[in-house]
């Protein structure tokens, strides 16, 4: 909602809080702590926290961009799984599986296609 309302600071901050609460409720506090403090996820965690801080300091657009980079750093490993799930959906699946579009989507998501 914060993006749809032209980067409203309050809605972006609320979305960040709800996102973190959702992660806590889904995987638990100990696993959440372990996930965000892994050495491989450290850059993403720093960018995410710095982006949230910038949003709270009224630098909403720059904070959103940096926060987005942090989210990609944190959850970039899951993009392949998300694409495979979307390909199983009725309307989106055929579009993502189109031979013209599929190689680009696979490259963006980091999916390795084995040669036949």
């Amino acid at each position: 909602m914060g993006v749809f309302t032209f980067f409203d600071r309050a809605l972006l901050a609320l979305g960040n809080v709800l996102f973190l609460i959702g992660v806590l409720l889904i995987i638990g506090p100990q696993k959440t702590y372990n996930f965000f403090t892994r050495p491989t996820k450290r850059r993403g965690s720093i960018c995410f926290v710095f982006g949230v801080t910038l949003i709270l300091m009224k630098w909403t657009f720059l904070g959103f961009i940096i926060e987005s980079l942090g989210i990609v750093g944190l959850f970039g490993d899951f993009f392949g799984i998300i694409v495979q799930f979307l390909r199983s959906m009725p309307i989106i699946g055929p579009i993502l599986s189109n031979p013209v579009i599929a190689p680009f989507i696979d490259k963006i998501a980091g999916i390795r296609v084995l040669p036949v």
Side-chain angles (χ1 to χ4, degrees):
M1 285 300 295
V3 175
F4 292 131
T5 58
F6 301 109
F7 298 99
D8 181 44
R9 182 173 58 98
L11 289 176
L12 285 173
L14 181 65
N16 292 330
V17 170
L18 292 175
F19 170 75
L20 291 174
I21 289 172
V23 171
L24 277 168
L25 290 175
I26 289 173
I27 64 176
Q30 185 64 37
K31 288 184 180 179
T32 301
Y33 176 78
N34 290 340
F35 177 77
F36 282 101
T37 57
R38 278 189 214 155
T40 58
K41 305 287 185 184
R42 192 170 294 143
R43 182 180 298 150
S45 297
I46 291 170
C47 285
F48 181 76
V49 170
F50 185 59
V52 170
T53 304
L54 284 176
I55 288 171
L56 294 175
M57 293 172 48
K58 299 184 181 180
W59 288 75
T60 54
F61 186 72
L62 183 62
F64 179 76
I65 297 296
I66 293 175
E67 179 184 342
S68 299
L69 291 173
I71 288 175
V72 168
L74 287 169
F75 299 104
D77 302 341
F78 300 117
F79 288 156
I81 296 168
I82 293 168
V83 168
Q84 294 299 344
F85 171 73
L86 289 174
R87 283 186 176 156
S88 68
M89 296 183 75
I91 296 172
I92 300 170
I95 295 170
L96 294 178
S97 298
N98 187 329
V100 175
I101 298 173
F104 297 112
I105 299 296
D106 291 343
K107 188 173 184 176
I108 291 170
I111 299 173
R112 289 188 169 175
V113 179
L114 298 173
V116 180

